[in-house]
Amino acid sequence: MASVFPSRGVWRRPAPRPVDVVVLAGLVVLLFGLVRLAPALDAPFLPGRAPSTVSTAPSHLPYYAVRSLLRMFVGLVLSVVFAFAYAEAAARLRRAEKVLVPVLDVLQSVPVLGFLTVVVTFFISLFPGSSLGLEAAAVFAIFTAMAWNMTFAFYHSLMAQPRDLDEAARVMRLTKWQRFWKLDVPGGMIPLVWNGMMSFGGAWFFLAASESISVLGHTYALPGIGSYVAAAMQRGDLSEVGIAIVVMVVMVIAVNVLFWRPMVAWAERFRVEDSSSGDKSRSAVLDLLRRSALPGLAARPARPVGRFLDRATRPFGLAEHPLLVPESRRRTGDLVFAGALTAAVAFGTWRALSYVDARTGLSEFGHAFVLGAITFSRVVVLVAVASVVWVPIGVWIGMNPGVSRIAQPVVQVLASFPANFLFPFAAAFFVAAGLSLNIGGILLMALGAQWYILFNVIAGASAIPSDLREATRSMGLRGSLRWRRFILPAVFPAYVTGGITAAGGAWNASIVAEVVDYGPHHLTATGLGAYIAKAAGSGDLAEVLVGVSVMSVYVVGLNRLVWRRLYALAETRYSL
């Protein structure tokens, strides 16, 4: 007769495995680091006595690197939250879309330092007597370097959702909250992760500017690897800059191995395709986490919270819109919305022009437009040369899987490396060779912007279907004919994406590339970037407003007149 009492096996728990010990040790180290850093984030701060530089002793570099890394990840989290909220509003609210998408286009074109100059005073006053204000300003600068690109990526994924999935969500009567987590987020995860990785790399570029802030005639320095490099550049000590570059390379590689590669491999689960690909991304760190029981144990307490939020968000309604709205009601709403929007824009423009007219005069716009034309010529030369150099190389890497497996991680690290860390070496070369920054500035801008073209062309070439490649071989396409009829049209959409991103990055980079301080040397180029940097350093907000507005006009105008048309051409004629 079987016993009615449970056997001892019921009470037995699986013994801890080595993989659980490794994951637990990593978690403890992470928590310990955050606990040790927390008191330093709220250190006393007096604006008049705040240090304008940091120590350049190499022993401080590990601590500086961790502080910078923490700011980067806080900025990334805020960017993801912003992308979710902004893109959902732009995609689901018809009238809001007409405002939010153009505003996002403008925000993307406004240089990061323009935001920083305006908001740093606000953040300092928001946390009086505490360095949290400066920390918030630095995080905000990093946020502005990441958020717009990620928001665009998530917005486009929402707009491109398959119709059958949308109908399935309506048939199952999902609430808005449920649809967001079961359909919207999984559908947009792959573009969000890839654009997050690229935006994270772009944000490294502005680390020095965000940690060593010059505004209103005063410089504030936060402990970080960016401010360390800024201090080393002022001293003209290339050996200290070289040590910082080594630490930076280690940090970029570690972030890619420990965070971005696991994220890319994890996001593959959301890919929707009919046939499974045998060349999926792999990550040893993700495999380790999947074998461990700790992530499951950590997620268990969150399940009741998820069920509570499901119930709490039901009053917001279902994820469907009324199919029929009375035409008179729709038109009246549109007229009221357009009228209120026009009035708000007109009032804001009038106030901004009045502010500039009272301080510098409206003629300053003409001067800024002339300087913008000079920077524009540098951007054109940069994009043209980078296209000629990197498109063939990107195609070669992307169309050879063996080369791609080795080269793609290298390109990811190069794209993530802050190119302005190399500025001291470039400036030393310019001084020794007697080369003007008017020419050398193009090289400095290219150090960071060119990788976007290479990265996107590799992605475009690797996405060409293998059966299409076989077909071209069968038809005997060779040499220049193969390039003109097959390869260039196939990678054209990806190239356009890389080109517009590189051009935008070059405009932003002009602010730090047209003014370079190296030891006793102060190199300046003629251009709009130098104009904005000078205005920001002297605290002239009117000139900052003029410079940022003119740069936005150039970037938005170029996007509308050139890049958008190329986008349309890529979608209608060259889409695979």
Side-chain angles (χ1 to χ4, degrees):
M1 180 179 176
S3 172
V4 296
F5 297 102
S7 65
R8 291 183 179 179
V10 173
W11 309 104
R12 187 178 302 136
R13 291 288 181 268
R17 295 174 296 176
V19 65
D20 294 328
V21 176
V22 173
V23 173
L24 183 61
L27 188 62
V28 170
V29 170
L30 180 63
L31 292 177
F32 175 74
L34 291 176
V35 170
R36 289 296 303 270
L37 282 178
L41 301 179
D42 193 21
F45 170 76
L46 296 174
R49 301 179 183 176
S52 59
T53 186
V54 296
S55 168
T56 54
S59 59
H60 291 159
L61 266 175
Y63 173 69
Y64 291 165
V66 174
R67 290 285 296 266
S68 297
L69 204 56
L70 181 61
R71 292 183 194 110
M72 292 287 288
F73 275 100
V74 172
L76 178 65
V77 171
L78 294 177
S79 299
V80 172
V81 173
F82 177 84
F84 283 164
Y86 199 99
E88 279 289 328
R92 306 299 177 212
L93 304 174
R94 184 178 65 85
R95 294 192 184 99
E97 180 188 17
K98 298 182 185 305
V99 178
L100 294 180
V101 174
V103 167
L104 189 62
D105 206 6
V106 173
L107 287 174
Q108 193 177 27
S109 66
V110 177
V112 172
L113 296 186
F115 287 110
L116 191 61
T117 306
V118 174
V119 302
V120 67
T121 308
F122 165 75
F123 280 117
I124 290 176
S125 61
L126 193 63
F127 300 97
S130 169
S131 61
L132 271 178
L134 278 184
E135 291 285 352
V139 169
F140 185 80
I142 293 168
F143 164 83
T144 55
M146 297 184 192
W148 322 132
N149 193 26
M150 296 171 65
T151 304
F152 261 126
F154 192 63
Y155 168 74
H156 285 303
S157 74
L158 295 177
M159 300 303 291
Q161 273 182 357
R163 184 181 295 273
D164 52 349
L165 292 180
D166 177 70
E167 292 176 352
R170 293 170 185 269
V171 169
M172 290 188 287
R173 299 185 65 77
L174 297 182
T175 65
K176 293 177 180 177
W177 177 259
Q178 289 172 327
R179 174 180 175 133
F180 176 73
W181 288 109
K182 294 182 184 299
L183 179 59
D184 295 349
V185 172
M189 189 52 67
I190 291 179
L192 190 64
V193 168
W194 278 93
N195 280 276
M197 182 168 58
M198 292 182 64
S199 303
F200 197 86
W204 283 120
F205 188 86
F206 295 98
L207 201 62
S210 63
E211 291 179 345
S212 184
I213 306 168
S214 296
V215 66
L216 299 178
H218 197 283
T219 300
Y220 305 106
L222 284 167
I225 195 167
S227 54
Y228 177 93
V229 172
M233 287 172 66
Q234 284 182 349
R235 288 160 52 91
D237 193 330
L238 292 182
S239 62
E240 292 176 344
V241 177
I243 296 171
I245 288 176
V246 172
V247 174
M248 193 69 210
V249 169
V250 172
M251 189 160 58
V252 168
I253 293 175
V255 169
N256 273 278
V257 171
L258 297 177
F259 183 75
W260 286 117
R261 287 198 67 80
M263 288 297 297
V264 170
W266 174 77
E268 288 289 331
R269 63 186 297 185
F270 302 111
R271 186 179 295 280
V272 179
E273 58 186 5
D274 295 331
S275 59
S276 61
S277 170
D279 196 20
K280 290 184 176 178
S281 299
R282 297 292 304 273
S283 164
V285 176
L286 183 63
D287 293 342
L288 189 74
L289 290 173
R290 280 173 171 164
R291 287 200 298 271
S292 171
L294 291 182
L297 292 175
R300 193 174 296 173
R303 291 172 189 161
V305 178
R307 288 193 288 270
F308 168 77
L309 288 175
D310 269 353
R311 292 191 297 272
T313 53
R314 286 185 185 281
F316 292 109
L318 301 176
E320 59 184 22
H321 303 286
L323 298 178
L324 181 62
V325 176
E327 187 62 24
S328 58
R329 180 180 165 189
R330 180 191 294 270
R331 286 189 176 181
T332 302
D334 288 346
L335 285 175
V336 171
F337 182 76
L341 181 64
T342 303
V345 171
F347 179 74
T349 305
W350 172 70
R351 291 288 297 172
L353 292 177
S354 301
Y355 178 78
V356 172
D357 188 33
R359 281 160 177 78
T360 64
L362 295 180
S363 60
E364 193 66 19
F365 279 101
H367 177 55
F369 268 108
V370 172
L371 294 176
I374 298 172
T375 302
F376 172 72
S377 64
R378 294 194 182 99
V379 173
V380 171
V381 171
L382 183 158
V383 173
V385 174
S387 302
V388 171
V389 172
W390 292 118
V391 168
I393 296 176
V395 168
W396 175 65
I397 295 174
M399 296 186 71
N400 293 278
V403 178
S404 181
R405 274 193 290 273
I406 300 172
Q408 199 154 4
V410 176
V411 173
Q412 286 179 8
V413 172
L414 289 176
S416 300
F417 184 78
N420 50 350
F421 280 28
L422 302 176
F423 282 12
F425 297 95
F429 170 74
F430 296 156
V431 171
L435 184 65
S436 168
L437 196 61
N438 286 315
I439 304 297
I442 301 174
L443 175 63
L444 298 183
M445 290 158 65
L447 285 174
Q450 61 184 334
W451 306 114
Y452 293 109
I453 293 178
L454 176 62
F455 199 89
N456 280 277
V457 171
I458 291 175
S462 61
I464 298 176
S466 56
D467 53 351
L468 196 56
R469 300 184 199 181
E470 293 295 332
T472 58
R473 289 195 191 96
S474 302
M475 289 187 288
L477 287 182
R478 296 284 186 277
S480 61
L481 183 62
R482 186 166 181 259
W483 275 89
R484 285 187 287 110
R485 298 292 184 185
F486 171 55
I487 295 177
L488 290 181
V491 301
F492 186 72
Y495 166 73
V496 173
T497 303
I500 191 173
T501 314
W507 277 104
N508 264 311
S510 68
I511 298 178
V512 291
E514 291 184 349
V515 179
V516 178
D517 288 311
Y518 166 63
H521 305 285
H522 180 71
L523 308 181
T524 305
T526 303
L528 189 57
Y531 176 87
I532 295 175
K534 180 179 175 225
S538 61
D540 191 331
L541 294 181
E543 289 192 357
V544 170
L545 180 60
V546 171
V548 170
S549 302
V550 170
M551 186 174 283
S552 302
V553 169
Y554 268 103
V555 176
V556 173
L558 189 64
N559 288 351
R560 295 288 176 187
L561 296 177
V562 178
W563 293 113
R564 293 296 175 195
R565 295 185 179 186
L566 293 179
Y567 254 132
L569 180 65
E571 290 177 355
T572 56
R573 188 167 179 180
Y574 298 123
S575 179
L576 291 176

